[in-house]
Amino acid sequence: MRTQRLFERIESIELQAVSKKYGSRFAVDSLDLNIEGGELLVLLGPSGSGKTTTLRMINRMIEPDTGTILINGQNIMKLDPVSLRRNIGYVIQNIGLFPHMTIGENVGLVPKLEGWDEIRTTERVRYLLDFVSLPPDRFIKRYPRQLSGGQQQRVGLARALAMNPPLLLMDEPFGALDPILRKQLQEEFLDIKKEIGRTIVFITHDIEEAFRLGDRIAIMDNAKLVQVGPPEELIFEPVNDLVADIVDTERKFKHMDILNVKDLMTPLDTKYLLDASMDICGAVQTMKERDTEIGIVFENNVLVGKVEMIDLLKSEDEYTLIKKVAKPMKVFAPQDSVASALSEMKKSGEYMAMVMNGDAPRGVLVSDEVLLKLI
Ligand code: ADP
Ligand code: MG
């Protein structure tokens, strides 16, 4: 069955006095919110504040009790719900890939349901896998269980993009990933966002993620919208103490000078360690088994640098030793000041550095983790 293309481009999404109750409690209480075409709007707020309910009302997975939702001026209750959902990409934390279908079949499912022929579907699937940094030749025939968490999350994104929807709804898509991988996927996602220029509504409860990705941020609390605006507006003109608390960036940096790297580093997890004698093929295999996408390479207890899964997958010769392709990392001592370490990392655009006590690795310093710990 072929569904109608409902909108080529999103001009606006308007939520007008939208409410949803469960029993006697409001999950969403008289919400008014305008989303502009082409923006990435972040919904930010504590757990249970109504973010998911709001998002799901936009694609009619949940229907409001009262109020109106318009997309490009059309009342969505007048549209066919299946067509509506096929025109909207939806990405969640545990993306629910079908385990008995290959990656290619998972990504190509909706195009197939839409009656696309084999050739066109395969071409689209290959394009999308490539787009999310999963080389199609390697991944198209694999099964979900053979992929790491981060790779599965990429497949989820590719699947949501299959019909080239003008609107993407994303519910904490990176929430289940470890901090290093999360940061990496955020960076890639920023590139994707630039390239596709579509409207995105993105839920997170991570303030750093909100600030990094959002054009505007809508803060929800207790079923209500508290404030919506660009990050700087929330910082400089918070409407109440709750918003001020959430975005209090000053407090984040206040103690930085007196803190040492060791106070805020993440202890080194041995799953990230790789031996320099490994070749790319072995490293990829090991990283997959350990569900990591980054490796820190040592040669006889001497730090060589780091390797990232996406770079390794792109390499031409999988028998190259990883020590040849490892990228140098900044190294700090446990007693170094966090403030200067972070500013050095920021200058060179690195999000992760090693913490070594002489020759002994102690931990990693991940810039976002540091900020999160200070909030
Ligand atoms: P968030 O995504 O911000 O964590 P939700 O939108 O999931 O919040 O939930 C908002 C409120 O509505 C919560 O108090 C939650 O317990 C309640 N709620 C959500 N879905 C249901 C449901 N199907 N039945 C009963 N209560 C629900
Ligand atoms: Mg939620």
mmCIF file of all heavy atoms in Angstrom, residues 33 35 39-45 51 55 170 189 193 200-220 225 227-229 231 234:
data_model
loop_
_atom_site.group_PDB
_atom_site.id
_atom_site.type_symbol
_atom_site.label_atom_id
_atom_site.label_comp_id
_atom_site.label_asym_id
_atom_site.label_seq_id
_atom_site.Cartn_x
_atom_site.Cartn_y
_atom_site.Cartn_z
ATOM 1 N N LEU A 33 2.817 25.547 22.020
ATOM 2 C CA LEU A 33 4.201 25.531 21.538
ATOM 3 C C LEU A 33 4.209 25.607 20.016
ATOM 4 O O LEU A 33 3.491 24.859 19.354
ATOM 5 C CB LEU A 33 4.871 24.219 21.999
ATOM 6 C CG LEU A 33 6.298 23.935 21.535
ATOM 7 C CD1 LEU A 33 7.278 24.971 22.069
ATOM 8 C CD2 LEU A 33 6.724 22.533 21.979
ATOM 9 N N ILE A 35 6.630 25.223 16.728
ATOM 10 C CA ILE A 35 7.921 24.733 16.250
ATOM 11 C C ILE A 35 8.094 25.253 14.833
ATOM 12 O O ILE A 35 7.184 25.146 14.003
ATOM 13 C CB ILE A 35 7.953 23.189 16.294
ATOM 14 C CG1 ILE A 35 7.695 22.713 17.735
ATOM 15 C CG2 ILE A 35 9.284 22.657 15.759
ATOM 16 C CD1 ILE A 35 7.331 21.249 17.845
ATOM 17 N N GLU A 39 14.006 23.929 12.185
ATOM 18 C CA GLU A 39 14.770 24.056 13.433
ATOM 19 C C GLU A 39 14.917 22.721 14.141
ATOM 20 O O GLU A 39 14.153 21.778 13.896
ATOM 21 C CB GLU A 39 14.131 25.080 14.378
ATOM 22 C CG GLU A 39 12.924 24.587 15.151
ATOM 23 C CD GLU A 39 12.484 25.575 16.256
ATOM 24 O OE1 GLU A 39 13.340 26.293 16.814
ATOM 25 O OE2 GLU A 39 11.272 25.625 16.543
ATOM 26 N N LEU A 40 15.920 22.649 15.021
ATOM 27 C CA LEU A 40 16.007 21.529 15.934
ATOM 28 C C LEU A 40 15.578 22.035 17.301
ATOM 29 O O LEU A 40 16.253 22.852 17.912
ATOM 30 C CB LEU A 40 17.415 20.937 16.003
ATOM 31 C CG LEU A 40 17.500 19.586 16.744
ATOM 32 C CD1 LEU A 40 18.685 18.769 16.250
ATOM 33 C CD2 LEU A 40 17.573 19.728 18.249
ATOM 34 N N LEU A 41 14.398 21.611 17.707
ATOM 35 C CA LEU A 41 13.857 22.018 18.998
ATOM 36 C C LEU A 41 14.100 20.900 20.006
ATOM 37 O O LEU A 41 13.736 19.755 19.763
ATOM 38 C CB LEU A 41 12.361 22.298 18.906
ATOM 39 C CG LEU A 41 11.782 22.738 20.247
ATOM 40 C CD1 LEU A 41 11.812 24.252 20.381
ATOM 41 C CD2 LEU A 41 10.386 22.209 20.471
ATOM 42 N N VAL A 42 14.732 21.245 21.113
ATOM 43 C CA VAL A 42 14.971 20.268 22.159
ATOM 44 C C VAL A 42 13.887 20.381 23.224
ATOM 45 O O VAL A 42 13.540 21.485 23.632
ATOM 46 C CB VAL A 42 16.356 20.500 22.812
ATOM 47 C CG1 VAL A 42 16.490 19.685 24.097
ATOM 48 C CG2 VAL A 42 17.474 20.132 21.855
ATOM 49 N N LEU A 43 13.337 19.247 23.638
ATOM 50 C CA LEU A 43 12.468 19.217 24.815
ATOM 51 C C LEU A 43 13.315 18.714 25.977
ATOM 52 O O LEU A 43 13.854 17.605 25.918
ATOM 53 C CB LEU A 43 11.287 18.264 24.609
ATOM 54 C CG LEU A 43 10.234 18.615 23.555
ATOM 55 C CD1 LEU A 43 9.187 17.506 23.477
ATOM 56 C CD2 LEU A 43 9.564 19.944 23.879
ATOM 57 N N LEU A 44 13.442 19.560 26.987
ATOM 58 C CA LEU A 44 14.326 19.256 28.108
ATOM 59 C C LEU A 44 13.515 19.324 29.399
ATOM 60 O O LEU A 44 12.673 20.217 29.545
ATOM 61 C CB LEU A 44 15.451 20.304 28.129
ATOM 62 C CG LEU A 44 16.499 20.270 29.237
ATOM 63 C CD1 LEU A 44 17.417 19.070 29.075
ATOM 64 C CD2 LEU A 44 17.343 21.548 29.226
ATOM 65 N N GLY A 45 13.769 18.412 30.316
ATOM 66 C CA GLY A 45 13.057 18.488 31.588
ATOM 67 C C GLY A 45 13.208 17.207 32.359
ATOM 68 O O GLY A 45 13.616 16.187 31.804
ATOM 69 N N LYS A 51 7.517 15.017 28.401
ATOM 70 C CA LYS A 51 8.219 15.163 27.115
ATOM 71 C C LYS A 51 7.785 14.106 26.100
ATOM 72 O O LYS A 51 7.439 14.422 24.965
ATOM 73 C CB LYS A 51 9.745 15.078 27.334
ATOM 74 C CG LYS A 51 10.282 16.050 28.364
ATOM 75 C CD LYS A 51 11.791 15.931 28.538
ATOM 76 C CE LYS A 51 12.283 14.586 29.082
ATOM 77 N NZ LYS A 51 11.892 14.294 30.476
ATOM 78 N N LEU A 55 5.795 14.514 22.498
ATOM 79 C CA LEU A 55 6.362 14.076 21.218
ATOM 80 C C LEU A 55 5.414 13.113 20.493
ATOM 81 O O LEU A 55 5.171 13.237 19.298
ATOM 82 C CB LEU A 55 7.707 13.391 21.481
ATOM 83 C CG LEU A 55 8.591 13.200 20.267
ATOM 84 C CD1 LEU A 55 9.274 14.521 19.920
ATOM 85 C CD2 LEU A 55 9.664 12.150 20.516
ATOM 86 N N MET A 170 12.743 12.508 17.898
ATOM 87 C CA MET A 170 13.781 11.670 18.514
ATOM 88 C C MET A 170 13.637 11.712 20.039
ATOM 89 O O MET A 170 13.703 12.776 20.641
ATOM 90 C CB MET A 170 15.164 12.160 18.087
ATOM 91 C CG MET A 170 15.298 12.238 16.563
ATOM 92 S SD MET A 170 16.927 12.762 15.987
ATOM 93 C CE MET A 170 17.896 11.293 16.267
ATOM 94 N N PHE A 189 25.776 13.409 14.468
ATOM 95 C CA PHE A 189 24.405 13.848 14.242
ATOM 96 C C PHE A 189 24.348 15.317 13.834
ATOM 97 O O PHE A 189 23.539 15.710 12.994
ATOM 98 C CB PHE A 189 23.555 13.587 15.488
ATOM 99 C CG PHE A 189 22.113 13.934 15.295
ATOM 100 C CD1 PHE A 189 21.340 13.208 14.406
ATOM 101 C CD2 PHE A 189 21.540 14.991 15.962
ATOM 102 C CE1 PHE A 189 20.018 13.535 14.195
ATOM 103 C CE2 PHE A 189 20.214 15.331 15.763
ATOM 104 C CZ PHE A 189 19.454 14.592 14.877
ATOM 105 N N LYS A 193 22.543 16.691 10.611
ATOM 106 C CA LYS A 193 21.537 17.738 10.708
ATOM 107 C C LYS A 193 21.822 18.838 9.680
ATOM 108 O O LYS A 193 20.926 19.304 8.990
ATOM 109 C CB LYS A 193 21.574 18.305 12.127
ATOM 110 C CG LYS A 193 20.566 19.381 12.392
ATOM 111 C CD LYS A 193 20.910 20.135 13.664
ATOM 112 C CE LYS A 193 20.397 21.552 13.568
ATOM 113 N NZ LYS A 193 20.987 22.438 14.556
ATOM 114 N N ILE A 200 13.430 18.932 13.375
ATOM 115 C CA ILE A 200 13.689 17.855 14.325
ATOM 116 C C ILE A 200 13.195 18.267 15.713
ATOM 117 O O ILE A 200 13.481 19.372 16.176
ATOM 118 C CB ILE A 200 15.206 17.528 14.399
ATOM 119 C CG1 ILE A 200 15.740 17.121 13.020
ATOM 120 C CG2 ILE A 200 15.483 16.432 15.427
ATOM 121 C CD1 ILE A 200 17.260 17.093 12.913
ATOM 122 N N VAL A 201 12.451 17.393 16.356
ATOM 123 C CA VAL A 201 12.103 17.588 17.764
ATOM 124 C C VAL A 201 12.834 16.502 18.534
ATOM 125 O O VAL A 201 12.696 15.312 18.219
ATOM 126 C CB VAL A 201 10.584 17.502 18.012
ATOM 127 C CG1 VAL A 201 10.256 17.893 19.447
ATOM 128 C CG2 VAL A 201 9.819 18.395 17.034
ATOM 129 N N PHE A 202 13.627 16.896 19.512
ATOM 130 C CA PHE A 202 14.617 16.015 20.125
ATOM 131 C C PHE A 202 14.486 16.078 21.647
ATOM 132 O O PHE A 202 14.643 17.137 22.239
ATOM 133 C CB PHE A 202 16.006 16.517 19.704
ATOM 134 C CG PHE A 202 17.160 15.626 20.054
ATOM 135 C CD1 PHE A 202 17.820 14.927 19.049
ATOM 136 C CD2 PHE A 202 17.621 15.511 21.363
ATOM 137 C CE1 PHE A 202 18.911 14.112 19.355
ATOM 138 C CE2 PHE A 202 18.704 14.689 21.670
ATOM 139 C CZ PHE A 202 19.354 13.995 20.660
ATOM 140 N N ILE A 203 14.190 14.943 22.267
ATOM 141 C CA ILE A 203 14.064 14.920 23.728
ATOM 142 C C ILE A 203 15.380 14.521 24.383
ATOM 143 O O ILE A 203 16.045 13.591 23.931
ATOM 144 C CB ILE A 203 13.008 13.887 24.184
ATOM 145 C CG1 ILE A 203 11.627 14.284 23.684
ATOM 146 C CG2 ILE A 203 13.009 13.749 25.705
ATOM 147 C CD1 ILE A 203 10.533 13.328 24.119
ATOM 148 N N THR A 204 15.718 15.212 25.441
ATOM 149 C CA THR A 204 16.846 14.772 26.249
ATOM 150 C C THR A 204 16.614 15.247 27.673
ATOM 151 O O THR A 204 15.824 16.140 27.916
ATOM 152 C CB THR A 204 18.185 15.322 25.709
ATOM 153 O OG1 THR A 204 19.253 14.825 26.519
ATOM 154 C CG2 THR A 204 18.224 16.831 25.717
ATOM 155 N N HIS A 205 17.317 14.618 28.655
ATOM 156 C CA HIS A 205 17.343 15.275 29.949
ATOM 157 C C HIS A 205 18.769 15.699 30.274
ATOM 158 O O HIS A 205 19.105 16.014 31.400
ATOM 159 C CB HIS A 205 16.696 14.429 31.054
ATOM 160 C CG HIS A 205 17.321 13.087 31.238
ATOM 161 N ND1 HIS A 205 16.674 11.939 30.915
ATOM 162 C CD2 HIS A 205 18.531 12.737 31.687
ATOM 163 C CE1 HIS A 205 17.472 10.917 31.164
ATOM 164 N NE2 HIS A 205 18.612 11.382 31.633
ATOM 165 N N ASP A 206 19.596 15.701 29.219
ATOM 166 C CA ASP A 206 21.010 16.037 29.368
ATOM 167 C C ASP A 206 21.218 17.475 28.874
ATOM 168 O O ASP A 206 21.122 17.768 27.683
ATOM 169 C CB ASP A 206 21.798 15.018 28.531
ATOM 170 C CG ASP A 206 23.285 15.316 28.468
ATOM 171 O OD1 ASP A 206 23.698 16.415 28.877
ATOM 172 O OD2 ASP A 206 24.028 14.431 27.999
ATOM 173 N N ILE A 207 21.498 18.363 29.795
ATOM 174 C CA ILE A 207 21.620 19.784 29.476
ATOM 175 C C ILE A 207 22.735 20.058 28.455
ATOM 176 O O ILE A 207 22.587 20.879 27.549
ATOM 177 C CB ILE A 207 21.846 20.624 30.769
ATOM 178 C CG1 ILE A 207 22.072 22.109 30.468
ATOM 179 C CG2 ILE A 207 22.984 20.112 31.618
ATOM 180 C CD1 ILE A 207 20.841 22.868 30.233
ATOM 181 N N GLU A 208 23.842 19.311 28.563
ATOM 182 C CA GLU A 208 24.940 19.527 27.615
ATOM 183 C C GLU A 208 24.518 19.156 26.195
ATOM 184 O O GLU A 208 24.821 19.833 25.236
ATOM 185 C CB GLU A 208 26.164 18.698 28.014
ATOM 186 C CG GLU A 208 26.751 19.059 29.342
ATOM 187 C CD GLU A 208 27.215 20.516 29.385
ATOM 188 O OE1 GLU A 208 27.684 21.041 28.363
ATOM 189 O OE2 GLU A 208 27.066 21.139 30.455
ATOM 190 N N GLU A 209 23.805 18.034 26.114
ATOM 191 C CA GLU A 209 23.320 17.594 24.808
ATOM 192 C C GLU A 209 22.340 18.627 24.246
ATOM 193 O O GLU A 209 22.404 18.983 23.060
ATOM 194 C CB GLU A 209 22.624 16.236 24.964
ATOM 195 C CG GLU A 209 22.147 15.629 23.668
ATOM 196 C CD GLU A 209 21.786 14.151 23.827
ATOM 197 O OE1 GLU A 209 20.626 13.844 24.164
ATOM 198 O OE2 GLU A 209 22.684 13.316 23.632
ATOM 199 N N ALA A 210 21.475 19.145 25.122
ATOM 200 C CA ALA A 210 20.496 20.158 24.698
ATOM 201 C C ALA A 210 21.208 21.390 24.144
ATOM 202 O O ALA A 210 20.858 21.901 23.076
ATOM 203 C CB ALA A 210 19.610 20.554 25.874
ATOM 204 N N PHE A 211 22.219 21.844 24.846
ATOM 205 C CA PHE A 211 22.929 23.052 24.418
ATOM 206 C C PHE A 211 23.735 22.807 23.154
ATOM 207 O O PHE A 211 23.897 23.687 22.334
ATOM 208 C CB PHE A 211 23.855 23.561 25.539
ATOM 209 C CG PHE A 211 23.144 24.453 26.504
ATOM 210 C CD1 PHE A 211 21.876 24.132 26.953
ATOM 211 C CD2 PHE A 211 23.721 25.628 26.961
ATOM 212 C CE1 PHE A 211 21.195 24.946 27.845
ATOM 213 C CE2 PHE A 211 23.050 26.463 27.849
ATOM 214 C CZ PHE A 211 21.785 26.110 28.295
ATOM 215 N N ARG A 212 24.263 21.623 23.012
ATOM 216 C CA ARG A 212 25.084 21.352 21.836
ATOM 217 C C ARG A 212 24.218 21.252 20.575
ATOM 218 O O ARG A 212 24.580 21.747 19.521
ATOM 219 C CB ARG A 212 25.874 20.056 22.027
ATOM 220 C CG ARG A 212 26.780 19.789 20.836
ATOM 221 C CD ARG A 212 27.854 18.741 21.074
ATOM 222 N NE ARG A 212 28.427 18.821 22.392
ATOM 223 C CZ ARG A 212 28.241 17.901 23.324
ATOM 224 N NH1 ARG A 212 27.532 16.838 23.072
ATOM 225 N NH2 ARG A 212 28.783 18.036 24.501
ATOM 226 N N LEU A 213 23.052 20.606 20.702
ATOM 227 C CA LEU A 213 22.278 20.302 19.496
ATOM 228 C C LEU A 213 21.157 21.299 19.201
ATOM 229 O O LEU A 213 20.792 21.495 18.048
ATOM 230 C CB LEU A 213 21.667 18.897 19.613
ATOM 231 C CG LEU A 213 22.634 17.718 19.802
ATOM 232 C CD1 LEU A 213 21.846 16.423 19.931
ATOM 233 C CD2 LEU A 213 23.618 17.620 18.649
ATOM 234 N N GLY A 214 20.600 21.915 20.236
ATOM 235 C CA GLY A 214 19.350 22.656 20.050
ATOM 236 C C GLY A 214 19.497 24.041 19.445
ATOM 237 O O GLY A 214 20.376 24.804 19.833
ATOM 238 N N ASP A 215 18.632 24.365 18.475
ATOM 239 C CA ASP A 215 18.501 25.760 18.053
ATOM 240 C C ASP A 215 17.705 26.499 19.125
ATOM 241 O O ASP A 215 18.022 27.610 19.505
ATOM 242 C CB ASP A 215 17.763 25.861 16.711
ATOM 243 C CG ASP A 215 18.534 25.178 15.599
ATOM 244 O OD1 ASP A 215 19.757 25.398 15.511
ATOM 245 O OD2 ASP A 215 17.930 24.398 14.827
ATOM 246 N N ARG A 216 16.642 25.850 19.576
ATOM 247 C CA ARG A 216 15.884 26.365 20.715
ATOM 248 C C ARG A 216 15.638 25.217 21.680
ATOM 249 O O ARG A 216 15.624 24.049 21.290
ATOM 250 C CB ARG A 216 14.539 26.944 20.242
ATOM 251 C CG ARG A 216 14.690 28.241 19.450
ATOM 252 C CD ARG A 216 13.353 28.930 19.294
ATOM 253 N NE ARG A 216 12.350 28.018 18.756
ATOM 254 C CZ ARG A 216 11.037 28.121 19.020
ATOM 255 N NH1 ARG A 216 10.577 29.078 19.801
ATOM 256 N NH2 ARG A 216 10.186 27.266 18.480
ATOM 257 N N ILE A 217 15.423 25.581 22.925
ATOM 258 C CA ILE A 217 15.188 24.571 23.953
ATOM 259 C C ILE A 217 13.872 24.891 24.647
ATOM 260 O O ILE A 217 13.644 26.040 25.039
ATOM 261 C CB ILE A 217 16.342 24.581 24.990
ATOM 262 C CG1 ILE A 217 17.661 24.208 24.298
ATOM 263 C CG2 ILE A 217 16.047 23.612 26.141
ATOM 264 C CD1 ILE A 217 18.884 24.395 25.163
ATOM 265 N N ALA A 218 13.008 23.892 24.734
ATOM 266 C CA ALA A 218 11.747 24.053 25.456
ATOM 267 C C ALA A 218 11.881 23.304 26.772
ATOM 268 O O ALA A 218 12.147 22.099 26.772
ATOM 269 C CB ALA A 218 10.585 23.491 24.637
ATOM 270 N N ILE A 219 11.735 24.017 27.874
ATOM 271 C CA ILE A 219 11.890 23.368 29.173
ATOM 272 C C ILE A 219 10.523 22.997 29.736
ATOM 273 O O ILE A 219 9.633 23.835 29.838
ATOM 274 C CB ILE A 219 12.659 24.282 30.141
ATOM 275 C CG1 ILE A 219 14.078 24.470 29.582
ATOM 276 C CG2 ILE A 219 12.678 23.681 31.550
ATOM 277 C CD1 ILE A 219 15.049 25.102 30.502
ATOM 278 N N MET A 220 10.379 21.694 30.039
ATOM 279 C CA MET A 220 9.113 21.215 30.601
ATOM 280 C C MET A 220 9.317 20.818 32.044
ATOM 281 O O MET A 220 10.373 20.320 32.425
ATOM 282 C CB MET A 220 8.605 20.001 29.812
ATOM 283 C CG MET A 220 8.144 20.362 28.411
ATOM 284 S SD MET A 220 7.196 19.032 27.646
ATOM 285 C CE MET A 220 5.691 19.050 28.618
ATOM 286 N N LEU A 225 4.829 23.557 29.939
ATOM 287 C CA LEU A 225 5.975 24.193 29.291
ATOM 288 C C LEU A 225 6.359 25.402 30.140
ATOM 289 O O LEU A 225 5.535 26.269 30.412
ATOM 290 C CB LEU A 225 5.574 24.647 27.884
ATOM 291 C CG LEU A 225 6.661 25.376 27.106
ATOM 292 C CD1 LEU A 225 7.796 24.427 26.747
ATOM 293 C CD2 LEU A 225 6.089 26.000 25.834
ATOM 294 N N GLN A 227 9.472 27.368 29.698
ATOM 295 C CA GLN A 227 10.087 28.431 28.891
ATOM 296 C C GLN A 227 10.625 27.808 27.610
ATOM 297 O O GLN A 227 11.074 26.665 27.605
ATOM 298 C CB GLN A 227 11.249 29.089 29.653
ATOM 299 C CG GLN A 227 11.880 30.263 28.909
ATOM 300 C CD GLN A 227 12.864 31.056 29.763
ATOM 301 O OE1 GLN A 227 13.210 30.657 30.881
ATOM 302 N NE2 GLN A 227 13.322 32.185 29.243
ATOM 303 N N VAL A 228 10.571 28.585 26.533
ATOM 304 C CA VAL A 228 11.183 28.108 25.297
ATOM 305 C C VAL A 228 11.976 29.251 24.681
ATOM 306 O O VAL A 228 11.530 30.391 24.650
ATOM 307 C CB VAL A 228 10.121 27.532 24.317
ATOM 308 C CG1 VAL A 228 9.025 28.522 23.998
ATOM 309 C CG2 VAL A 228 10.775 27.048 23.026
ATOM 310 N N GLY A 229 13.187 28.938 24.232
ATOM 311 C CA GLY A 229 14.015 29.971 23.619
ATOM 312 C C GLY A 229 15.372 29.408 23.270
ATOM 313 O O GLY A 229 15.687 28.261 23.604
ATOM 314 N N PRO A 231 19.421 28.838 23.607
ATOM 315 C CA PRO A 231 20.172 28.608 24.842
ATOM 316 C C PRO A 231 20.545 29.900 25.582
ATOM 317 O O PRO A 231 20.367 29.993 26.788
ATOM 318 C CB PRO A 231 21.416 27.869 24.361
ATOM 319 C CG PRO A 231 21.012 27.190 23.108
ATOM 320 C CD PRO A 231 19.943 28.024 22.485
ATOM 321 N N LEU A 234 17.792 31.405 27.648
ATOM 322 C CA LEU A 234 17.519 30.681 28.890
ATOM 323 C C LEU A 234 18.565 31.023 29.954
ATOM 324 O O LEU A 234 18.253 31.105 31.141
ATOM 325 C CB LEU A 234 17.497 29.171 28.643
ATOM 326 C CG LEU A 234 16.496 28.663 27.602
ATOM 327 C CD1 LEU A 234 16.569 27.152 27.494
ATOM 328 C CD2 LEU A 234 15.078 29.087 27.954
#
